[in-house]
mmCIF file with all atom_site columns, all heavy atoms in Angstrom:
data_model
loop_
_atom_site.group_PDB
_atom_site.id
_atom_site.type_symbol
_atom_site.label_atom_id
_atom_site.label_alt_id
_atom_site.label_comp_id
_atom_site.label_asym_id
_atom_site.label_entity_id
_atom_site.label_seq_id
_atom_site.pdbx_PDB_ins_code
_atom_site.Cartn_x
_atom_site.Cartn_y
_atom_site.Cartn_z
_atom_site.occupancy
_atom_site.B_iso_or_equiv
_atom_site.pdbx_formal_charge
_atom_site.auth_seq_id
_atom_site.auth_comp_id
_atom_site.auth_asym_id
_atom_site.auth_atom_id
_atom_site.pdbx_PDB_model_num
ATOM 1   N N   . THR A 1 14 ? 59.263 7.384  -3.947  1.00 93.00 ? 14 THR A N   1
ATOM 2   C CA  . THR A 1 14 ? 58.741 8.563  -3.264  1.00 93.00 ? 14 THR A CA  1
ATOM 3   C C   . THR A 1 14 ? 57.391 8.268  -2.624  1.00 93.00 ? 14 THR A C   1
ATOM 4   O O   . THR A 1 14 ? 56.706 7.308  -3.025  1.00 93.00 ? 14 THR A O   1
ATOM 5   C CB  . THR A 1 14 ? 58.579 9.720  -4.261  1.00 93.00 ? 14 THR A CB  1
ATOM 6   O OG1 . THR A 1 14 ? 57.559 9.352  -5.216  1.00 93.00 ? 14 THR A OG1 1
ATOM 7   C CG2 . THR A 1 14 ? 59.896 10.013 -4.974  1.00 93.00 ? 14 THR A CG2 1
ATOM 8   N N   . PRO A 1 15 ? 56.955 9.081  -1.672  1.00 94.00 ? 15 PRO A N   1
ATOM 9   C CA  . PRO A 1 15 ? 55.615 8.899  -1.099  1.00 94.00 ? 15 PRO A CA  1
ATOM 10  C C   . PRO A 1 15 ? 54.519 8.963  -2.165  1.00 94.00 ? 15 PRO A C   1
ATOM 11  O O   . PRO A 1 15 ? 53.526 8.234  -2.085  1.00 94.00 ? 15 PRO A O   1
ATOM 12  C CB  . PRO A 1 15 ? 55.500 10.044 -0.087  1.00 94.00 ? 15 PRO A CB  1
ATOM 13  C CG  . PRO A 1 15 ? 56.899 10.384 0.266   1.00 94.00 ? 15 PRO A CG  1
ATOM 14  C CD  . PRO A 1 15 ? 57.706 10.150 -0.978  1.00 94.00 ? 15 PRO A CD  1
ATOM 15  N N   . GLN A 1 16 ? 54.712 9.857  -3.152  1.00 93.00 ? 16 GLN A N   1
ATOM 16  C CA  . GLN A 1 16 ? 53.710 9.981  -4.201  1.00 93.00 ? 16 GLN A CA  1
ATOM 17  C C   . GLN A 1 16 ? 53.593 8.683  -5.003  1.00 93.00 ? 16 GLN A C   1
ATOM 18  O O   . GLN A 1 16 ? 52.493 8.295  -5.426  1.00 93.00 ? 16 GLN A O   1
ATOM 19  C CB  . GLN A 1 16 ? 54.053 11.148 -5.137  1.00 93.00 ? 16 GLN A CB  1
ATOM 20  C CG  . GLN A 1 16 ? 53.893 12.525 -4.518  1.00 93.00 ? 16 GLN A CG  1
ATOM 21  C CD  . GLN A 1 16 ? 54.998 12.860 -3.530  1.00 93.00 ? 16 GLN A CD  1
ATOM 22  O OE1 . GLN A 1 16 ? 56.059 12.216 -3.520  1.00 93.00 ? 16 GLN A OE1 1
ATOM 23  N NE2 . GLN A 1 16 ? 54.754 13.865 -2.683  1.00 93.00 ? 16 GLN A NE2 1
ATOM 24  N N   . PHE A 1 17 ? 54.766 8.031  -5.220  1.00 94.00 ? 17 PHE A N   1
ATOM 25  C CA  . PHE A 1 17 ? 54.744 6.752  -5.940  1.00 94.00 ? 17 PHE A CA  1
ATOM 26  C C   . PHE A 1 17 ? 53.939 5.720  -5.162  1.00 94.00 ? 17 PHE A C   1
ATOM 27  O O   . PHE A 1 17 ? 53.103 5.010  -5.721  1.00 94.00 ? 17 PHE A O   1
ATOM 28  C CB  . PHE A 1 17 ? 56.178 6.251  -6.160  1.00 94.00 ? 17 PHE A CB  1
ATOM 29  C CG  . PHE A 1 17 ? 56.225 4.860  -6.715  1.00 94.00 ? 17 PHE A CG  1
ATOM 30  C CD1 . PHE A 1 17 ? 56.057 4.629  -8.062  1.00 94.00 ? 17 PHE A CD1 1
ATOM 31  C CD2 . PHE A 1 17 ? 56.406 3.779  -5.862  1.00 94.00 ? 17 PHE A CD2 1
ATOM 32  C CE1 . PHE A 1 17 ? 56.079 3.333  -8.559  1.00 94.00 ? 17 PHE A CE1 1
ATOM 33  C CE2 . PHE A 1 17 ? 56.433 2.487  -6.361  1.00 94.00 ? 17 PHE A CE2 1
ATOM 34  C CZ  . PHE A 1 17 ? 56.267 2.260  -7.721  1.00 94.00 ? 17 PHE A CZ  1
ATOM 35  N N   . TYR A 1 18 ? 54.193 5.608  -3.859  1.00 94.00 ? 18 TYR A N   1
ATOM 36  C CA  . TYR A 1 18 ? 53.478 4.615  -3.058  1.00 94.00 ? 18 TYR A CA  1
ATOM 37  C C   . TYR A 1 18 ? 51.976 4.911  -3.017  1.00 94.00 ? 18 TYR A C   1
ATOM 38  O O   . TYR A 1 18 ? 51.146 3.999  -3.051  1.00 94.00 ? 18 TYR A O   1
ATOM 39  C CB  . TYR A 1 18 ? 54.047 4.567  -1.637  1.00 94.00 ? 18 TYR A CB  1
ATOM 40  C CG  . TYR A 1 18 ? 55.398 3.901  -1.563  1.00 94.00 ? 18 TYR A CG  1
ATOM 41  C CD1 . TYR A 1 18 ? 56.505 4.589  -1.107  1.00 94.00 ? 18 TYR A CD1 1
ATOM 42  C CD2 . TYR A 1 18 ? 55.547 2.574  -1.949  1.00 94.00 ? 18 TYR A CD2 1
ATOM 43  C CE1 . TYR A 1 18 ? 57.749 3.981  -1.032  1.00 94.00 ? 18 TYR A CE1 1
ATOM 44  C CE2 . TYR A 1 18 ? 56.778 1.948  -1.887  1.00 94.00 ? 18 TYR A CE2 1
ATOM 45  C CZ  . TYR A 1 18 ? 57.892 2.660  -1.428  1.00 94.00 ? 18 TYR A CZ  1
ATOM 46  O OH  . TYR A 1 18 ? 59.110 2.045  -1.377  1.00 94.00 ? 18 TYR A OH  1
ATOM 47  N N   . ASN A 1 19 ? 51.620 6.177  -2.959  1.00 94.00 ? 19 ASN A N   1
ATOM 48  C CA  . ASN A 1 19 ? 50.207 6.540  -2.963  1.00 94.00 ? 19 ASN A CA  1
ATOM 49  C C   . ASN A 1 19 ? 49.562 6.125  -4.280  1.00 94.00 ? 19 ASN A C   1
ATOM 50  O O   . ASN A 1 19 ? 48.468 5.545  -4.307  1.00 94.00 ? 19 ASN A O   1
ATOM 51  C CB  . ASN A 1 19 ? 50.055 8.048  -2.746  1.00 94.00 ? 19 ASN A CB  1
ATOM 52  C CG  . ASN A 1 19 ? 48.597 8.460  -2.666  1.00 94.00 ? 19 ASN A CG  1
ATOM 53  O OD1 . ASN A 1 19 ? 47.852 8.040  -1.781  1.00 94.00 ? 19 ASN A OD1 1
ATOM 54  N ND2 . ASN A 1 19 ? 48.169 9.293  -3.618  1.00 94.00 ? 19 ASN A ND2 1
ATOM 55  N N   . ALA A 1 20 ? 50.254 6.411  -5.402  1.00 94.00 ? 20 ALA A N   1
ATOM 56  C CA  . ALA A 1 20 ? 49.723 6.031  -6.710  1.00 94.00 ? 20 ALA A CA  1
ATOM 57  C C   . ALA A 1 20 ? 49.638 4.516  -6.843  1.00 94.00 ? 20 ALA A C   1
ATOM 58  O O   . ALA A 1 20 ? 48.666 3.972  -7.393  1.00 94.00 ? 20 ALA A O   1
ATOM 59  C CB  . ALA A 1 20 ? 50.602 6.613  -7.820  1.00 94.00 ? 20 ALA A CB  1
ATOM 60  N N   . GLN A 1 21 ? 50.660 3.829  -6.324  1.00 94.00 ? 21 GLN A N   1
ATOM 61  C CA  . GLN A 1 21 ? 50.634 2.374  -6.382  1.00 94.00 ? 21 GLN A CA  1
ATOM 62  C C   . GLN A 1 21 ? 49.476 1.815  -5.561  1.00 94.00 ? 21 GLN A C   1
ATOM 63  O O   . GLN A 1 21 ? 48.798 0.869  -5.971  1.00 94.00 ? 21 GLN A O   1
ATOM 64  C CB  . GLN A 1 21 ? 51.956 1.804  -5.868  1.00 94.00 ? 21 GLN A CB  1
ATOM 65  C CG  . GLN A 1 21 ? 52.045 0.287  -6.057  1.00 94.00 ? 21 GLN A CG  1
ATOM 66  C CD  . GLN A 1 21 ? 53.321 -0.280 -5.470  1.00 94.00 ? 21 GLN A CD  1
ATOM 67  O OE1 . GLN A 1 21 ? 53.623 0.008  -4.311  1.00 94.00 ? 21 GLN A OE1 1
ATOM 68  N NE2 . GLN A 1 21 ? 54.054 -1.041 -6.244  1.00 94.00 ? 21 GLN A NE2 1
ATOM 69  N N   . GLY A 1 22 ? 49.222 2.402  -4.389  1.00 92.00 ? 22 GLY A N   1
ATOM 70  C CA  . GLY A 1 22 ? 48.098 1.977  -3.571  1.00 92.00 ? 22 GLY A CA  1
ATOM 71  C C   . GLY A 1 22 ? 46.775 2.132  -4.294  1.00 92.00 ? 22 GLY A C   1
ATOM 72  O O   . GLY A 1 22 ? 45.908 1.251  -4.241  1.00 92.00 ? 22 GLY A O   1
ATOM 73  N N   . LEU A 1 23 ? 46.613 3.245  -5.014  1.00 95.00 ? 23 LEU A N   1
ATOM 74  C CA  . LEU A 1 23 ? 45.385 3.454  -5.782  1.00 95.00 ? 23 LEU A CA  1
ATOM 75  C C   . LEU A 1 23 ? 45.229 2.388  -6.852  1.00 95.00 ? 23 LEU A C   1
ATOM 76  O O   . LEU A 1 23 ? 44.127 1.870  -7.089  1.00 95.00 ? 23 LEU A O   1
ATOM 77  C CB  . LEU A 1 23 ? 45.390 4.845  -6.415  1.00 95.00 ? 23 LEU A CB  1
ATOM 78  C CG  . LEU A 1 23 ? 45.262 6.023  -5.441  1.00 95.00 ? 23 LEU A CG  1
ATOM 79  C CD1 . LEU A 1 23 ? 45.498 7.345  -6.162  1.00 95.00 ? 23 LEU A CD1 1
ATOM 80  C CD2 . LEU A 1 23 ? 43.889 6.015  -4.769  1.00 95.00 ? 23 LEU A CD2 1
ATOM 81  N N   . ALA A 1 24 ? 46.349 2.055  -7.534  1.00 94.00 ? 24 ALA A N   1
ATOM 82  C CA  . ALA A 1 24 ? 46.285 1.042  -8.583  1.00 94.00 ? 24 ALA A CA  1
ATOM 83  C C   . ALA A 1 24 ? 45.929 -0.327 -8.004  1.00 94.00 ? 24 ALA A C   1
ATOM 84  O O   . ALA A 1 24 ? 45.117 -1.068 -8.560  1.00 94.00 ? 24 ALA A O   1
ATOM 85  C CB  . ALA A 1 24 ? 47.625 0.985  -9.324  1.00 94.00 ? 24 ALA A CB  1
ATOM 86  N N   . LEU A 1 25 ? 46.540 -0.661 -6.882  1.00 93.00 ? 25 LEU A N   1
ATOM 87  C CA  . LEU A 1 25 ? 46.247 -1.946 -6.244  1.00 93.00 ? 25 LEU A CA  1
ATOM 88  C C   . LEU A 1 25 ? 44.796 -2.014 -5.762  1.00 93.00 ? 25 LEU A C   1
ATOM 89  O O   . LEU A 1 25 ? 44.128 -3.044 -5.901  1.00 93.00 ? 25 LEU A O   1
ATOM 90  C CB  . LEU A 1 25 ? 47.203 -2.167 -5.072  1.00 93.00 ? 25 LEU A CB  1
ATOM 91  C CG  . LEU A 1 25 ? 48.666 -2.433 -5.448  1.00 93.00 ? 25 LEU A CG  1
ATOM 92  C CD1 . LEU A 1 25 ? 49.570 -2.281 -4.226  1.00 93.00 ? 25 LEU A CD1 1
ATOM 93  C CD2 . LEU A 1 25 ? 48.813 -3.833 -6.049  1.00 93.00 ? 25 LEU A CD2 1
ATOM 94  N N   . ALA A 1 26 ? 44.312 -0.922 -5.201  1.00 93.00 ? 26 ALA A N   1
ATOM 95  C CA  . ALA A 1 26 ? 42.922 -0.880 -4.739  1.00 93.00 ? 26 ALA A CA  1
ATOM 96  C C   . ALA A 1 26 ? 41.962 -1.055 -5.901  1.00 93.00 ? 26 ALA A C   1
ATOM 97  O O   . ALA A 1 26 ? 40.932 -1.731 -5.792  1.00 93.00 ? 26 ALA A O   1
ATOM 98  C CB  . ALA A 1 26 ? 42.646 0.424  -4.000  1.00 93.00 ? 26 ALA A CB  1
ATOM 99  N N   . ALA A 1 27 ? 42.289 -0.433 -7.051  1.00 93.00 ? 27 ALA A N   1
ATOM 100 C CA  . ALA A 1 27 ? 41.440 -0.543 -8.232  1.00 93.00 ? 27 ALA A CA  1
ATOM 101 C C   . ALA A 1 27 ? 41.357 -1.979 -8.728  1.00 93.00 ? 27 ALA A C   1
ATOM 102 O O   . ALA A 1 27 ? 40.349 -2.397 -9.311  1.00 93.00 ? 27 ALA A O   1
ATOM 103 C CB  . ALA A 1 27 ? 41.954 0.370  -9.340  1.00 93.00 ? 27 ALA A CB  1
ATOM 104 N N   . ARG A 1 28 ? 42.436 -2.761 -8.493  1.00 94.00 ? 28 ARG A N   1
ATOM 105 C CA  . ARG A 1 28 ? 42.445 -4.162 -8.913  1.00 94.00 ? 28 ARG A CA  1
ATOM 106 C C   . ARG A 1 28 ? 41.846 -5.078 -7.837  1.00 94.00 ? 28 ARG A C   1
ATOM 107 O O   . ARG A 1 28 ? 41.821 -6.291 -8.010  1.00 94.00 ? 28 ARG A O   1
ATOM 108 C CB  . ARG A 1 28 ? 43.879 -4.621 -9.203  1.00 94.00 ? 28 ARG A CB  1
ATOM 109 C CG  . ARG A 1 28 ? 44.526 -3.899 -10.383 1.00 94.00 ? 28 ARG A CG  1
ATOM 110 C CD  . ARG A 1 28 ? 45.616 -4.766 -11.015 1.00 94.00 ? 28 ARG A CD  1
ATOM 111 N NE  . ARG A 1 28 ? 46.631 -5.187 -10.062 1.00 94.00 ? 28 ARG A NE  1
ATOM 112 C CZ  . ARG A 1 28 ? 47.782 -4.533 -9.864  1.00 94.00 ? 28 ARG A CZ  1
ATOM 113 N NH1 . ARG A 1 28 ? 48.030 -3.404 -10.523 1.00 94.00 ? 28 ARG A NH1 1
ATOM 114 N NH2 . ARG A 1 28 ? 48.667 -4.988 -9.003  1.00 94.00 ? 28 ARG A NH2 1
#
Side-chain angles (χ1 to χ4, degrees):
T14 66
Q16 290 74 17
F17 172 81
Y18 287 119
N19 183 62
Q21 187 183 51
L23 291 171
L25 290 166
R28 295 206 304 266

